[in-house]
Structures are given as structure tokens and as C-alpha cells.
Amino acid sequence: MALNFHQQIISDLLEDSNGGLVIISSGLSLAKLIASLLILHSPSQGTLLLLLSPAAQSLKSRIIHYIFSLQSPVPAEITADLPANQRYSLYSSGSPFFITPRILIVDLLTQRIPVSSLAGIFILNAHSLTETSTEAFIVRIVKSLNSSAYVRAFSDRPQAMVSGFAKTERTMRALFLRRLHLWPRFQLDVSQELEREPPEVVDIRVSMSSYMVGIQKAIIEVMDACLKEMKKTNKVDVDDLTVESGLFKSFDEIVRRQLDPIWHTLGKRTKQLVSDLKTLRKLLDYLVRYDAVSFLKFLDTLRVSESYRSVWLFAESSYKIFDFAKKRVYRLLKASDVKSKEHGTKKSGKKRKSKGDNDAVEAVGGETATNVTTGVVIEEVLEEAPKWKVLREILEETQEERQKQAYSEEDNSDNNGIVLVACKDERSCMQLEDCVTNNPQKVMREEWEMYLLSKIELRSMQTPQKKKQKTPKGFGILDGVVPVTTIQNSEGSSVGRQEHEALMAAASSIRKASGNNNPEPHVDKASCTKGKAKKDSTSLRRSIRSCNKKTTNSKPEILKGPEDEEKATEASTSGPQEANVVQPSSAKKIPPVHFYALESDQPILDILKPSVIIVYHPDMAFVRELEVYKAENPLRKLKVYFLFYDESTEVQKFEASIRRENGAFESLIRQKSSMMIPVDQDGLCMGSNSSTEFPASITQNSLTRKAGGRKELEKETQVIVDMREFMSSLPNVLHQKGMKIIPVTLEVGDYILSPSICVERKSIQDLFQSFTSGRLFHQVEMMSRYYRIPVLLIEFSQDKSFSFQSASDISDDVAPYNIISKLSLLVLHFPRLRILWSRSLHATAEIFTTLKSNQDEPDETRAIRVGVPSEEGIIENDIRAENYNTSAVEFLRRLPGVTDANYRSIMEKCKSLAELASLPVETLAELMGGHKVAKSLREFFDAKYPTLL
């Protein structure tokens, strides 16, 4: 049964036959709303319904899941693999289909879709649309052919709908829509329904450790310093530069949107500040998300990758970040202090080691570390995440409450006893699973060992085959202790060098210890269940699973969901709704637990129907999903635990996300009250260009002297466009200019403007990639072979600078990595190549219009055949290949005396190189335009080959 406010939205949409734009709060089950609308569509009416597939496949999978759960026919998906006739038969069936915008626009232009029987179009990602997007192109063509077809657009990202100037109004103009439906969380109907039967909520604030507080404070100080430096540039709106806004990904978009038009004029320091703010936001996120060792590992990668150009690393408080991060993992001690401590309490030290207590201190290297007193050793700290202990306590408490309550059979049928733990990503889920099923200190120990082993592997990669050891084996690093360096060797950073060597010593001792138990420890580490420690030991995103778990028979089996099926290697045949759950064998029993990654965006609540949910990483959208789930199941008991780090950016970011969404809806409400959308007499909104209703523009002012004022019908201009180009917005803009678009599959070029003009279009990013891969050279070579005027179009974005780089960055000489140098060499190699520089899509359309003037229209049949070999291996319609041998032409142009000015006249008179070589000097002089160049060529032909005989 749909929610009441969902039913209200559906009734509002059904009232308007033209459709509408629906913007709801994130988490209010947009997929269920769309699924309900699809179920109302009846295929028996013979009308077609198309759903434009969004970029995020999770929304489509949720829609399919809800439709399937209601035992209704699931919409099929139309892909490019289906042949054209089969796609036409599917269109004629009248069923709803998922389809990508690129396939749909091509089928519309080629008239494969019966538009007259099209009921409507669903657009599932209205927040990502612009006036030049393919979706707007589709709607314009559909409206011109079938005015009764409706368009229903949806979005659950209100923040994106208020970015830029009048984003919502421009989107509605592009989609020919008049009605805007806003459904925020604070709307009266929504709030009353979700708050009627609220779940039991327990808000737990976990105190961060002192080192975590110090790191967070230092990061915020560094971020504030970077923001102050950014304000000094006077290039960015100061109101947007706050620490709170810097916690969100949209902050990068805001800053780049303001700086893109002047990006080429900015200094390196300003550009680096933009990158540093993104890095600092990641640090704040990773601090509360990952363990201490993983956080330190990420800092190590930043030190290596950004040390020479970063601004934030040289800030006043940055050293605290690295210092506190190290103190969460290890401390440096003198070997003499460790020896005296171990000598006094040798037996008690062994006990502490065997207990595995969190306060235990173990000197790496064991007794061998005390043999040398002139060195430093590593003392492990391995600080656990404070939430780990709280999570374990909540699970134990839940199990105790269930045992006390002693549920009846009816209660058990309504409550399956599953506890859902929601985390941000998959890596956090797997690590929490390890912590719940094993000792958390053991998990930290495994992370620590992998961290040390990665340092050895990195060192062996940096210094291959440089082993010059004069000391005997078993001394120094191999024994786990580093001798104190002399004064001569300790110049620079002696403390840092000793620390590095101490880490190497600890890693060597771990490798030696693991080698005694396992002859190939690295192979096992790399082939762990869910980890690739050897290949990706420095990545925070990798999956970590201990190798020891393979041989542990007492390991409990944690419930797996749909997002874990691809990564899990345990033998399990259970589907998303079935799983084998084994109680963990520990001192205190815990209930069956399922770990869910929020980034997977699966309908986990409807699949598992949990009774207890622990929100380990709070997320606003997931909180709304919990409210919707409880409103749909008012009789089901639900208890929700929220775990927050007290006085952390985690709390600040969660609260700020709610404020940002409410502010976005308030802005949309104000825009709706003053929105101006022109309407014609048919009730359809006019698009951005009135020429969209007519395929060809007609001259408005006709001169009377031209045939008595008779209007001459202009010939329809057409452009042949490659299928792959419909990923861009240029075909849409060309259609707005009144050109007929013919989509075909081209082997040579992207746009064919005339029988002699072929255009290869490159965006800035694609241009750099094409130069790097060498693809551009081949493309220009093919265009030069088949077309008389090959054109390379370099298209810039309208909102970015119309420049590759600043004038000061252009070198005087040719540089192998400079883009200007590469373009110069390309033009030198292909003299007939023409380069067009376009500021925007609309400028490109104007350039195409100019180029097509006084030119014949392109031939579709010929354009398709160009560059496609026939069965005999001969390339059809290749004018240059039929008359000239391309390799021979290239050889001719490299002969002495042959230039760009005379090689064509030589080719006209001589049929082959053999005939050219037999001509006398007088004839060559006539062909080449001079006796001197002819003599040099003749001497080249007559020169004898030197031999050693």
C-alpha cells in the first residue's frame, strides 16, 4: 500500500495531461513512487511508455525490485544490442521500457518509434538536465510530433535544482513543463504521516580519543587557513567560503564553477588551494570512518604525492595531523629503555602479550630487540576506534533484552531478529564484521602487519638489486633493531631516518616470524578472501580480510546481502532474501548481524525487515528511509541506534545536510511563486528557440525586388552525425539551429558537413587523451585520406576559459609534453588539416552553418561506406586510395627537392615512383619548377650504394 503523500503526488500528476516536475526530499522512496505510477499504466491501451535510464543504476534496480514485489510485469530494457526491427516491434507492444537517451534519440531521428502511440516519457534524473542535454532534445522532437504525450520528470536532490541561475525554471522550459510539485520533509502531509508511528530512537554520542580530537582540530585549523588564503585572491564569492560548506562535495563544484572562466589566469598556488581543500575534506571524513592504521597509511600517501607542491602541508598546524596520527598507532622508544623494562618484568611482559589486552605494550622483535642497546624500537599503540566497543555493547545488550523478553511465536514471525548495521562503504562493513566476530585488537594487529609489510615491498620496488651488505646476516634490521647512526650519516633528519629504519626493522621481524609459520606469506596475503594487500596496500578503498580466517572453524557466518555477492567467496547459495546465520562463539552471545553499505543503495529494509538498526555512519537519506519503512509497517517494532562522535564534524555534517536541504526547498518555494513560463495557445511551453517547431528557418523579411516578394523556400540543410556523438549536446544545438540530423555509424570523422568537409570533434579532455594514446594521429590520417578538407574541431566549454594555458606557460621551443607543441607537429605532418577553435556548443553551430554555405549536402550512403573495407578488401569510394598509393605518396614527399608546392604536379605526370626515377633532368625540372631541385633529385636516384668490398 502506497503512502498517503505518494498517493497525493500521483493524483496531482494524473490531473495534468502535460505532466510535471516532481522534487521530493532524498530518502522519501522515489523508486516506490515511480513504481506505483508504472503499475497504473495499462499495456492493453496500446500506448508506449518510456523511462530514460538514469546514470545511477541503483534507482532503476530499486524500481524493478518494487514492481516485482507487487507481482506486476517488470519493464524490459532496450539496449543497442537489439536489431532495429526487433526494437520497432517492442515499441509497438505498448509496454513500459527502460531505454538510454542515446538510443532513444537515434531511434527518434531515424523514425523507428511510433511517436503517435507514445503515451509519455519518464525522466528520472531531472537534476542533471540542461537546455542542451539529450533529454531536452528528445522531449522537443516528441512534442513536435505528438503534442498529447506527457513528460514526468523526477528528482530527489533539491540542492542540485537550485545550483546556478534559475535552474528549475530553465529545466521546465527545456522539458515543456508547466507544473512544479515540491514535497519537502517538512511538508505537513509528509511530516504527519512519518511522525504518526515513529520508531524507538536511541542517540548515542561516543567521545573521541584525545588524539582524534587533536587531529580534527588541526585539520579544521588548516582548512580555515586555506580558506583565508583563498579569500585573499579576490576570485571567489566570500560567502561560500566557510568550513561548514567545505565539508560537502558540492563545495568543490561551487569553487570550480566560479573559477573555471578564469582558471588559466590563476596562479599555481590558487589552483593548489582548491585541491588542498578537497584533500582536507577527505581527511575529516576518513578520520571518523576508518581505523587509525588506515588513516596513517592515507597520510603517508599524501606525504609522498603532495609533499612538493601542497600548500596545506606547510601550514602551521599540519604537523599535528601527522604527529597525532602516528601516536595513535605507535611510539618510538630507545632500545636501552626497552631492555631495562623487559629485564625487570620479563615474565609479566609475556603475560600481557598473551592476554592481548588493549593496554598491552609489545616491543617488536621480542628478546632479540634487547641485545643491542644502541638503537630505537617501535612500541605499538594501535588505538581502536571508540565506536567499535560501543557497537559490541549494543549488540550484547540487544541479545540480553531478547532473552529477557522471551518472544512468543507470533512475535517471532513478525520479528526475524536480524540486526542491521549501516555503514558508509563496503570496506567499513567488512572491518566491522571482523571486529564483531574477532578481537578488535587482533584486527588492528593485522592492519598493522600489512602496513609494515607494505613498507618493505615499497622499499624493494624503489631499490631493486642494490643489496650491498658488508655486515653478516642476522644483524641490525633483520634482528628488529636499528643501530644508532653516526653523526655523518645523520645529517638532515636523523630522527626521521631512525624512525623509518625502526619501521623496517619491525617489518622484517614480522616477515621473519610469518616465514617460520608460512613459507610464502605474501602469496597468502594477496590471495585473502576479500583483500589484495600486496597489490594495493596503500588504498583505503581496498577490501581487507585476514588470511587466518580461512583456517578458523569457529568463525561465525555473517548475513550477506545483494551488495556482498560479488565480493564474498564463502560457499553460499543464499539469495538476497535468504542467508545462513550462525551465532558467534564468544563469551557473550550477540544476535545475527547484517552489515549494509550505504553506497550500494539497495532496498535492504524491505528485503531483510530488521527489528534493530544501528546507524554506524549517520546519513540523512537513510534516516528518511527508516521513517518511510516504519510508516509503511506501523505494527512492526523497530529500534534505531544512532552512533555519533560527540563534538565532531560528523555531527556537524549531518545537521548541515538537513539545513541545506531545507534551505534548498525554501528557495524553490520562492522561485515557484515568481516563476515565469511562456505558454502558447496549445498549452505547451516554448523551448529556448522558436525554430524547434520548424525544421528549417524561413526568411522573415523578403525583398520585393526578388520575384515580386515571393518567399523562396530554403533548402533543408543536413548534417551526418556519428552515433557516438549523441553522448554530447552538439547534435541538440544543431537541431535547434534548424539543421536536419542524420545519425549513422561513421568509420571516419564525427560530422560530415559536405562531400568534401569532414570534422573530428574533440573536447579538451578528449584532446589530451587522444594525443596520449595516439588515436588522434590515426583519425586525422584517415580524414586526410578520404576527404579534401579534414577539420579538427577543438571545442571548449561555455563556462570555462577559452584557453589551454596562460601565455606565460607557453614555451619558446617544442616540448614533448606541451599540448601546443603537439598540435604544431600535427599540423606540420598533415598540411591540409584545418583546426577550428570553438568557444561553446552554440559557437560550433554557427561555425558549421558558415562552413556549409555554398557547399553541397553530404551523401549519407557514401559517408557510411567511407573507410569500410569490402569483402574483396578494397576500400570503396576511396578517391585517394583508388588513384594514389598512400605509402608511395608519403615516400615521394620525403625525396630531396620534393616540396608541398610541387609534389601534386609530379603525381599528375607520373603514375609510379619507377616512372619518376626514369625521367631525365630536363623533364624533372619542368615538373618540379626548377633545375636545381631537379638535379638534386636526379643525383639522389643515380647515387651508388656504398659497399665494403
Side-chain angles (χ1 to χ4, degrees):
M1 183 63 183
L3 297 171
N4 293 333
F5 68 89
H6 276 186
Q7 297 178 6
Q8 183 63 37
I9 296 173
I10 293 172
S11 62
D12 291 344
L13 285 174
L14 295 178
E15 285 179 2
D16 191 350
S17 60
N18 190 46
L21 173 60
V22 178
I23 304 176
I24 68 174
S25 292
S26 59
L28 294 187
S29 193
L30 176 62
K32 289 184 179 179
L33 173 64
I34 298 173
S36 302
L37 281 169
L38 291 179
I39 293 174
L40 295 178
H41 176 75
S42 176
S44 60
Q45 300 174 358
T47 54
L48 175 64
L49 180 60
L50 297 176
L51 293 89
L52 298 186
S53 299
Q57 294 296 319
S58 58
L59 178 60
K60 184 174 73 173
S61 62
R62 280 188 176 232
I63 294 173
I64 294 175
H65 167 76
Y66 293 135
I67 294 177
F68 182 77
S69 63
L70 296 174
Q71 298 180 355
S72 297
V74 177
E77 184 173 5
I78 296 177
T79 62
D81 299 332
L82 296 175
N85 55 353
Q86 188 173 352
R87 292 209 300 267
Y88 182 81
S89 61
L90 289 175
Y91 293 141
S92 304
S93 64
S95 301
F97 293 101
F98 285 103
I99 188 171
T100 60
R102 189 175 71 88
I103 299 175
L104 180 55
I105 188 61
V106 170
D107 286 349
L108 280 173
L109 293 173
T110 53
Q111 300 179 357
R112 296 194 185 115
I113 296 180
V115 183
S116 58
S117 62
L118 179 64
I121 299 175
F122 279 27
I123 299 176
L124 309 182
N125 55 341
H127 50 270
S128 62
L129 302 189
T130 60
E131 297 96 327
T132 59
S133 60
T134 308
E135 289 84 354
F137 192 6
I138 292 170
V139 173
R140 187 169 65 252
I141 294 179
V142 169
K143 285 293 185 180
S144 63
L145 300 176
N146 183 4
S147 59
S148 62
Y150 60 80
V151 177
R152 292 168 182 167
F154 304 90
S155 175
D156 58 353
R157 298 183 186 178
Q159 296 96 328
M161 296 301 297
V162 295
S163 63
F165 177 74
K167 171 68 179 295
T168 305
E169 184 174 345
R170 289 187 286 114
T171 302
M172 295 178 66
R173 284 173 180 264
L175 298 180
F176 292 74
L177 296 177
R178 299 177 55 195
R179 296 284 299 275
L180 175 62
H181 307 278
L182 301 176
W183 289 86
R185 169 62 177 82
F186 56 80
Q187 209 266 358
L188 185 61
D189 295 337
V190 179
S191 59
Q192 286 181 351
E193 185 167 12
L194 296 184
E195 296 171 4
R196 187 176 298 117
E197 294 289 340
E200 181 182 355
V201 178
V202 180
D203 190 351
I204 300 177
R205 300 299 174 104
V206 183
S207 298
M208 295 192 297
S209 65
S210 58
Y211 289 142
M212 293 178 67
V213 174
I215 294 174
Q216 177 180 277
K217 183 179 178 182
I219 294 176
I220 293 177
E221 290 176 357
V222 175
M223 182 179 289
D224 188 53
C226 291
L227 289 173
K228 289 180 180 178
E229 287 292 323
M230 184 78 73
K231 292 177 183 178
K232 294 179 182 179
T233 61
N234 296 325
K235 305 288 186 181
V236 190
D237 187 5
V238 188
D239 296 335
D240 294 330
L241 297 184
T242 61
V243 176
E244 180 177 296
S245 61
L247 300 177
F248 297 92
K249 289 183 179 180
S250 58
F251 178 79
D252 303 331
E253 301 173 2
I254 294 172
V255 175
R256 285 304 300 263
R257 191 186 306 120
Q258 296 186 31
L259 294 180
D260 273 341
I262 55 172
W263 188 256
H264 65 290
T265 64
L266 300 177
K268 294 182 179 179
R269 184 178 179 85
T270 306
K271 294 179 180 179
Q272 187 59 40
L273 284 172
V274 177
S275 176
D276 288 348
L277 289 172
K278 182 178 180 180
T279 302
L280 291 171
R281 189 189 68 244
K282 285 184 179 179
L283 284 177
L284 281 175
D285 187 22
Y286 292 172
L287 174 65
V288 296
R289 190 193 300 188
Y290 297 121
D291 59 274
V293 179
S294 299
F295 185 76
L296 178 62
K297 192 181 301 181
F298 181 63
L299 283 177
D300 288 345
T301 60
L302 292 180
R303 189 194 294 272
V304 174
S305 61
E306 300 186 0
S307 58
Y308 65 95
R309 65 176 185 271
S310 178
V311 178
W312 74 272
L313 283 175
F314 299 99
E316 184 178 357
S317 302
S318 62
Y319 79 96
K320 297 180 183 178
I321 302 174
F322 292 89
D323 185 43
F324 291 154
K326 289 179 182 177
K327 290 180 179 178
R328 293 179 67 198
V329 180
Y330 64 87
R331 287 193 295 265
L332 284 178
L333 294 177
K334 292 183 178 180
S336 57
D337 297 339
V338 176
K339 179 183 177 182
S340 59
K341 185 186 297 185
E342 290 183 352
H343 183 73
T345 57
K346 188 174 182 180
K347 294 183 179 180
S348 61
K350 290 183 178 180
K351 286 184 179 180
R352 285 158 56 196
K353 179 180 176 181
S354 61
K355 286 181 181 178
D357 191 11
N358 296 345
D359 299 328
V361 177
E362 175 190 355
V364 177
E367 294 183 2
T368 312
T370 62
N371 293 335
V372 181
T373 59
T374 59
V376 292
V377 294
I378 297 294
E379 182 186 60
E380 298 176 4
V381 178
L382 302 182
E383 176 183 283
E384 300 176 17
K387 281 188 180 182
W388 289 2
K389 183 179 179 181
V390 178
L391 175 64
R392 180 78 190 191
E393 291 175 354
I394 292 174
L395 293 175
E396 294 174 354
E397 177 185 340
T398 302
Q399 183 65 18
E400 292 177 359
E401 290 179 356
R402 291 180 176 178
Q403 291 177 354
K404 291 179 181 178
Q405 291 177 0
Y407 292 135
S408 62
E409 293 184 0
E410 291 185 3
D411 291 333
N412 285 332
S413 62
D414 185 61
N415 185 355
N416 55 15
I418 294 176
V419 176
L420 180 67
V421 179
C423 307
K424 188 71 174 178
D425 55 4
E426 187 66 32
R427 186 190 185 280
S428 301
C429 291
M430 289 184 289
Q431 191 173 60
L432 287 179
E433 177 185 338
D434 293 344
C435 294
V436 169
T437 55
N438 299 295
N439 188 0
Q441 189 65 21
K442 181 182 177 182
V443 176
M444 291 299 298
R445 177 72 186 179
E446 292 169 357
E447 290 280 352
W448 169 245
E449 291 179 359
M450 294 169 66
Y451 171 73
L452 293 177
L453 291 176
S454 66
K455 285 190 169 294
I456 287 186
E457 293 168 0
L458 181 62
R459 188 176 189 180
S460 62
M461 291 170 56
Q462 292 176 346
T463 58
Q465 299 179 357
K466 289 186 179 180
K467 298 180 180 179
K468 296 182 179 179
Q469 287 188 349
K470 296 182 180 179
T471 55
K473 294 182 178 180
F475 177 80
I477 293 180
L478 294 179
D479 283 334
V481 176
V482 182
V484 177
T485 56
T486 60
I487 298 177
Q488 290 81 5
N489 295 331
S490 62
E491 293 179 359
S493 177
S494 59
V495 176
R497 186 179 295 108
Q498 290 184 21
E499 178 182 355
H500 178 71
E501 296 299 334
L503 288 172
M504 292 297 102
S508 299
S509 64
I510 292 175
R511 173 184 264 179
K512 184 172 64 175
S514 61
N516 296 333
N517 299 328
N518 191 354
E520 295 181 355
H522 293 290
V523 176
D524 288 343
K525 281 288 181 182
S527 60
C528 289
T529 306
K530 294 186 180 179
K532 294 183 180 179
K534 186 173 182 179
K535 294 183 179 179
D536 195 11
S537 58
T538 61
S539 174
L540 280 175
R541 296 288 182 181
R542 64 180 171 78
S543 304
I544 298 179
R545 295 297 296 269
S546 172
C547 300
N548 299 330
K549 293 180 183 178
K550 290 184 178 181
T551 58
T552 304
N553 296 328
S554 61
K555 173 186 178 295
E557 202 169 314
I558 301 297
L559 187 65
K560 296 291 175 185
E563 69 277 6
D564 296 322
E565 292 177 356
E566 295 181 1
K567 298 183 179 180
T569 55
E570 289 86 1
S572 175
T573 58
S574 60
Q577 302 184 25
E578 299 178 1
N580 298 325
V581 181
V582 180
Q583 292 289 346
S585 56
S586 57
K588 291 185 178 180
K589 291 185 177 181
I590 62 174
V593 185
H594 175 85
F595 294 90
Y596 168 63
L598 294 173
E599 64 181 11
S600 63
D601 198 16
Q602 298 292 327
I604 195 68
L605 299 177
D606 296 291
I607 294 175
L608 296 181
K609 301 188 183 303
S611 58
V612 177
I613 299 175
I614 302 174
V615 185
Y616 191 85
H617 293 137
D619 180 75
M620 180 187 66
F622 187 67
V623 172
R624 303 270 173 76
E625 291 180 18
L626 295 178
E627 292 180 320
V628 172
Y629 170 72
K630 187 62 174 67
E632 292 176 336
N633 304 275
L635 301 179
R636 186 180 297 275
K637 295 180 181 180
L638 180 63
K639 190 172 185 179
V640 181
Y641 292 90
F642 287 99
L643 295 185
F644 286 99
Y645 278 118
D646 195 19
E647 296 182 356
S648 67
T649 55
E650 184 181 43
V651 180
Q652 185 179 2
K653 184 177 180 179
F654 178 76
E655 295 174 349
S657 62
I658 299 176
R659 290 195 300 270
R660 283 160 55 88
E661 187 184 85
N662 292 341
F665 270 112
E666 291 172 0
S667 176
L668 288 172
I669 292 171
R670 290 192 298 269
Q671 289 183 29
K672 183 179 179 180
S673 62
S674 59
M675 195 172 291
M676 299 283 292
I677 301 178
V679 180
D680 64 3
Q681 50 267 55
D682 292 332
L684 298 177
C685 300
M686 297 298 294
S688 59
N689 194 339
S690 60
S691 64
T692 58
E693 297 291 333
F694 306 96
S697 59
I698 299 177
T699 306
Q700 295 180 357
N701 298 323
S702 300
L703 298 178
T704 57
R705 65 179 62 183
K706 290 184 178 181
R710 184 185 64 189
K711 294 182 179 179
E712 295 182 1
L713 294 177
E714 295 184 359
K715 186 174 66 172
E716 186 180 34
T717 59
Q718 61 185 20
V719 178
I720 298 176
V721 183
D722 184 35
M723 293 280 195
R724 294 174 287 270
E725 275 298 301
F726 284 92
M727 299 295 291
S728 68
S729 300
L730 183 56
N732 181 11
V733 178
L734 294 176
H735 186 267
Q736 286 183 355
K737 291 293 182 182
M739 297 184 186
K740 180 181 179 182
I741 306 299
I742 303 176
V744 296
T745 301
L746 297 177
E747 290 294 329
V748 179
D750 293 330
Y751 296 86
I752 309 299
L753 304 184
S754 71
S756 59
I757 301 178
C758 176
V759 180
E760 180 70 31
R761 174 187 166 274
K762 294 292 180 186
S763 62
I764 302 303
Q765 183 180 4
D766 191 20
L767 180 68
F768 280 85
Q769 293 176 354
S770 299
F771 268 124
T772 304
S773 63
R775 188 173 73 252
L776 182 59
F777 183 89
H778 175 70
Q779 291 171 337
V780 174
E781 183 182 22
M782 297 292 286
M783 287 195 301
S784 301
R785 178 182 300 178
Y786 297 118
Y787 291 94
R788 186 169 59 88
I789 307 177
V791 177
L792 174 62
L793 171 67
I794 301 175
E795 189 176 81
F796 290 77
S797 298
Q798 187 172 5
D799 55 347
K800 294 186 179 181
S801 61
F802 189 39
S803 172
F804 277 132
Q805 56 197 61
S806 59
S808 59
D809 295 335
I810 301 178
S811 59
D812 297 332
D813 199 1
V814 174
Y817 300 105
N818 190 287
I819 186 66
I820 301 297
S821 300
K822 293 180 179 180
L823 278 173
S824 303
L825 294 174
L826 184 68
V827 174
L828 288 174
H829 195 81
F830 300 100
R832 293 191 298 111
L833 178 66
R834 300 294 179 260
I835 297 182
L836 294 178
W837 304 83
S838 176
R839 183 182 292 273
S840 64
L841 294 170
H842 297 279
T844 302
E846 295 292 342
I847 293 173
F848 280 9
T849 304
T850 306
L851 290 177
K852 284 185 64 63
S853 60
N854 302 323
Q855 291 283 339
D856 295 332
E857 295 300 328
D859 184 5
E860 178 183 354
T861 306
R862 182 183 183 278
I864 296 174
R865 291 165 56 192
V866 165
V868 180
S870 62
E871 296 179 357
E872 294 79 12
I874 301 173
I875 298 179
E876 298 180 2
N877 222 9
D878 181 3
I879 300 173
R880 288 176 57 86
E882 289 176 355
N883 296 306
Y884 312 116
N885 186 342
T886 307
S887 301
V889 173
E890 295 294 330
F891 180 76
L892 170 66
R893 297 182 61 183
R894 284 163 173 78
L895 293 177
V898 180
T899 63
D900 292 337
N902 59 21
Y903 84 96
R904 290 187 178 89
S905 61
I906 296 174
M907 291 166 56
E908 290 177 359
K909 299 295 182 180
C910 302
K911 296 182 179 180
S912 64
L913 290 173
E915 182 181 350
L916 176 65
S918 63
L919 294 178
V921 178
E922 292 76 12
T923 309
L924 289 176
E926 294 178 2
L927 295 178
M928 302 177 67
H931 185 76
K932 185 177 180 180
V933 291
K935 184 178 179 181
S936 63
L937 180 61
R938 187 70 261 172
E939 290 177 352
F940 173 78
F941 285 144
D942 297 339
K944 293 184 179 181
Y945 182 75
T947 61
L948 297 176
L949 297 177

